[in-house]
Amino acid sequence: VLFFALLISKENTSSNSFFASALITCTPNDPRSGDSYCVETYREGSYCTGEGICSNPFRTGCLHNVLPDHFTKLRTCNSYDDANATGRGDCAISRFDYDEVRILNQNWEGAMFSSWIMQIVLSELLDVPTTIETGKPNTEASMDFYDPGLGFSYHDAAYDWDALHTAFEHPDCESFQDERKSNGEEYRSCAHVLPEAWNGQNKNIANDVQEGLIEPTTGTGGVSKLSWYVPIFTARRNSKLLSYIGMTENAGSENRRLMASTFLRPQTWKYFCEKVSLDNCTTPYYDDEGLLIAARPPSDQLEEAKYFSTDSYHGYFAATKDNDCDANPFNCTGHIAYGPCGWSSFAVSQAHYLGIHVKGNGPDPAGGYSYGQMVEIYKAANYTKNNVLFVWWTPDPTVQEFLGTDAEFLRVLLPSPTEECMQARTTKEERCSMDPTIRLGKEEGSCDSEAHSAQKVLVTSFKKRTFDADEAFHSPAYDAIENIKISDIHLDYMFRSWYKQNTDRWNYDPREAVCTWAAENIDNLLRYVPESHPRSFRMEEQNKPAMYGAMVTALICIVLVGAVSISTFFYRKEKVMVYAQPTFLYMLLVGLLFLGIGAILLPANVSQGTCIAKEWFVLLGYSLQLVPLIVKVAAINKLFQSAIKYKRVSIDTKKMYMAVGSVTIVISIFLLIWTVVDPPDRQSNRRLTDDINGDGGQIIETEYLCRSDSAAWFAISYFYQFMLLIAATVLAFQNRNVRQEFNDSSRLAFIIYAHSMLLLLRMMVVYFGSSLKANLVATITSYLLSADIIQTLAIYFVPKLHAARTLSERSAISTSVSMGPLPDSKLSSVEKIRLNAARKSSMDECSPNNINCPKCGYRSIQQTYNVDGDDIPKVEQKKEELTTTPNTQDRNEE
């Protein structure tokens, strides 16, 4: 068994103490003294670590260990857990991404046990990561309930207000301390919650509330009180000592003698060995009744200052010159043990003004003792049965330790507290003054300490951070901590259970006591859980018929684009196609193909790959759909505007292609930067539903969608598409008077109108998508893209293909007539009808429908237009009048 003890005293604090601790040692991998021994000594869940120490059996969770049938999940991991904690099965990562809560440790057990109850409720019932702030790095001091090494560290200060102020300035304590550590800065405590503040802190509380640093406090559920006490064996010797009246009923000198002779002064181990022992404690010292007082001399300065050490020094009380009423009849006093001046204790003022002639002789400026020294003094009095007058508080485990024994604490009656008395109390500064007169304070403030409700203190940034989040992300921590109420009766029960364990007093036993109480009072703990919690998740229910319908529609659109592409290639030499520029039509069709692929990807399962791919396909698709059209229409508009002004103009098709390519390259670069810097990725979106789970909490529906960290990328994408439509609109308007063979303005206007409506609908779906399911948004967007493809094909391509087909059929009929009649058996029904119509037309020689009639005085001639630098024969015919003289050269073109 490893023993260690440490006692630290600091001015104006209730000093930090690491009491004698006994970690249970074991032998790793040994069948008798290994894991099985740890389970037998502690409980199931403990094992023998590589350091030869039995581990914390509660590392996976108190309720998970004690009530495994009802609480199957592991407790939530926190920042104090190492990287392998989840792999070992010690804890589970929070499913809700709640911010970590840090609870301030204090230096008395009531507050420390309360912090553990808070940690259990938050970590095991509400999935909130929770840690305990000790004022030092976790590697140096730990009070975490789940600490593998079962640490039980007292804070150096009773009230570390600086830790709360730090949390106000830096709400994320974990990140703040990690940053300081990485910068090599000194550790700075940070905490959101102070579990217990007594009435002596009312002034500090009022100031911080006024400055907006903390919220108005709420009660802890317990009643706390500082009182004077004597043990039962002292009261049995003289019952007058149970009241200030009995202590002061005799005349002045007699009262002094009573107190001085009754309450002797405790002496340290060093004093006893040097002043009382004849051989400096080199041999064990026994008193007249055979009690062992000192087994050995103190080994270091720490032991020299002790008033009691189990099995080594059991205490000694002596009548010093302060107790000698013969030598000092007007100044002799008995002894009283009270805490340091930083405590809300008024013993000095009470003793002086009530005429009770007692005085402390501790190391504190006001004669007080540290927490550990006071416990040692009471244990020494109990062992030696020396009378002791003691100022202590409830609830506290020391009181429970002696409950039912002859050293049980009995309260001394003092004058009842009043409002006037409370207002006249000495302040901390007065109690700690070096001037004895100032320490006395006012007589009106010498009444008994009032019982009061201890208060919980919560930092304002803790509340703000909680309720500023979206409702689905609200952490239940703030409301749960406010709800938690632990009465002094419950604390007393835990204290008694703690001291009854007697297995590992300062490591395992207090955890066992708290966890056992939590399991026995699980109904109380569940009442602390805020309404609508604990919440649970469920995946978004996808509308699969709509999703698959969108994908099938997009696939049909791709097939249509393919069919139109083939038809465009087939009719590429027809007049209407030549005017429309087949190369640009192919670009537009590639853009529509990309849109179709994007429409398929939109409702598909979300992944980083699909998120990136659909942005590429949609944006490049819109570019290839609109930019070639804009470039072509701009060129035609330039051509005819120059013709109006009788200017020669040359259209370089390479420059037109370069314009399209340049825009496409710029968009590709934008998409590449987007993909590298802040790629759209699969991110979860949570929405709070009204559905209730089996535990009475609300269900959070989780859906996945594509999203970048910055919304600027999507904004730029939509702005670019919008600007394309604006440019196309302007050019279509300018092109309205262009010759009809080249004029796409009417169809382009229809396309732009439809594009604008569909883009507006897409933007509305994205903007109001927070109120819709992500999968529904993706499905609607897919349908809109498909509609965009269909309307472009219907408005722009179908009329051109129809015209091309019609011209092709007319050309075929004309060719058939010129070649002479074919046998009727070789003609189809349609061809027969067309042939008969052509024959009928040819019989009317003067008919204007006859395009080649030399007898009528004119014949058809074929002209050539220069388009795109090529001489292309056109099917348009012009009539040439013929004179009756075959050799005449005069012609009059119609």
Side-chain angles (χ1 to χ4, degrees), residues 90 154 199 207 235 286 303 315 380 433 436 509 539 715 736 740 788 885:
D90 290 353
Y154 290 75
N199 58 350
N207 290 338
Y286 294 86
E303 287 192 342
S433 173
D509 291 357
M539 292 300 298
R736 66 191 184 280
Q740 186 59 37
D788 205 340
T885 305

Side-chain angles (χ1 to χ4, degrees), residues 482-696:
E482 285 222 316
N483 291 343
I484 291 174
K485 300 289 187 291
I486 306 172
S487 69
D488 47 344
I489 301 299
H490 286 153
L491 285 174
D492 286 343
Y493 177 84
M494 285 184 264
F495 294 151
R496 289 196 299 273
S497 299
W498 172 18
Y499 277 64
K500 285 179 181 178
Q501 291 293 325
N502 203 28
T503 300
D504 179 6
R505 173 62 60 89
W506 299 105
N507 298 282
Y508 168 73
D509 291 357
R511 288 175 168 82
E512 176 67 28
V514 170
C515 188
T516 300
W517 177 88
E520 293 174 352
N521 293 270
I522 187 62
D523 291 339
N524 288 340
L525 298 190
L526 292 174
R527 281 197 288 270
Y528 303 150
V529 173
E531 188 178 356
S532 84
H533 291 273
R535 293 173 176 171
S536 59
F537 287 110
R538 75 176 177 207
M539 292 300 298
E540 175 194 14
E541 296 178 1
Q542 297 181 342
N543 189 335
K544 291 188 176 180
M547 180 184 71
Y548 292 138
M551 298 176 74
V552 170
T553 302
L555 185 60
I556 292 173
C557 289
I558 291 176
V559 173
L560 291 175
V561 170
V564 170
S565 300
I566 294 172
S567 299
T568 301
F569 179 80
F570 183 77
Y571 292 117
R572 67 190 182 280
K573 293 184 179 180
E574 298 298 332
K575 178 180 67 172
V576 65
M577 290 300 181
V578 173
Y579 287 166
Q581 297 296 293
T583 304
F584 284 90
L585 294 180
Y586 298 150
M587 292 181 185
L588 196 153
L589 288 168
V590 171
L592 294 179
L593 176 64
F594 281 9
L595 284 182
I597 297 173
I600 290 178
L601 293 174
L602 271 166
N605 289 332
V606 178
S607 67
Q608 186 180 45
T610 57
C611 289
I612 295 174
K614 68 186 179 184
E615 294 302 332
W616 277 78
F617 278 113
V618 170
L619 204 55
L620 287 176
Y622 261 101
S623 298
L624 292 173
Q625 180 186 4
L626 288 177
V627 173
L629 246 149
I630 293 172
V631 171
K632 189 198 80 166
V633 173
I636 294 174
N637 184 58
K638 178 182 179 181
L639 178 67
F640 282 91
Q641 292 297 326
S642 298
I644 293 173
K645 299 177 182 179
Y646 300 98
K647 293 182 178 180
R648 183 180 296 274
V649 64
S650 177
I651 303 299
D652 189 346
T653 55
K654 291 183 179 180
K655 291 183 178 179
M656 297 171 66
Y657 296 150
M658 287 178 63
V660 176
S662 299
V663 174
T664 306
I665 290 173
V666 169
I667 293 305
S668 299
I669 293 174
F670 165 75
L671 287 167
L672 182 62
I673 294 173
W674 185 359
T675 302
V676 173
V677 175
D678 186 14
D681 200 356
R682 180 177 186 260
Q683 295 187 18
S684 64
N685 185 45
R686 297 172 180 176
R687 183 173 59 256
L688 190 64
T689 69
D690 294 329
D691 300 337
I692 304 300
N693 58 33
D695 296 323

